[in-house]
């Protein structure tokens, strides 16, 4: 199984929605842990990289795509 590619500033969709109702998160810090911010309410969450990769469903928009155009 191929690992999903994601980067700093990407908007990602997780498997479970946030209690505020949205499913989209912005990656704001990367390292051993991934910090992401809810695009609905602004709440930020810190997850270990392994748990983040398990819960990641797909990348909705890449930060590199918007910077190139």
């Amino acid at each position: 199984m191929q690992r999903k590619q994601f980067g700093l500033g990407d908007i990602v969709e997780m498997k479970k929605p946030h209690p505020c109702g949205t499913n989209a998160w912005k990656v704001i810090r990367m390292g051993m842990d991934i910090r992401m911010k809810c695009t609905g309410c602004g709440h930020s969450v810190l997850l270990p990289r392994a748990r983040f990769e398990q819960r990641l469903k797909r990348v909705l928009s890449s930060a590199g795509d918007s910077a190139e155009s």
Side-chain angles (χ1 to χ4, degrees), residues 1 3-7 10-16 23 25 27 34 36 47 49-60:
M1 185 173 179
R3 296 178 80 179
K4 295 183 176 92
Q5 298 294 320
F6 57 91
D10 289 355
I11 306 294
V12 297
E13 181 181 359
M14 304 305 280
K15 289 182 181 174
K16 292 186 179 179
N23 214 11
W25 297 80
V27 177
I34 308 290
M36 53 189 190
L47 288 175
R49 182 178 283 268
R51 183 168 292 159
F52 176 83
E53 289 177 353
Q54 288 174 352
R55 295 182 179 181
L56 177 66
K57 193 170 185 180
R58 63 187 169 125
V59 176
L60 296 175

Side-chain angles (χ1 to χ4, degrees), residues 26-46:
K26 181 174 184 177
V27 177
I28 57 174
R29 180 181 177 270
M30 289 181 61
M32 283 298 295
D33 297 321
I34 308 290
R35 182 171 297 275
M36 53 189 190
K37 190 175 210 173
C38 178
T39 57
C41 65
H43 182 79
S44 90
V45 177
L46 183 69

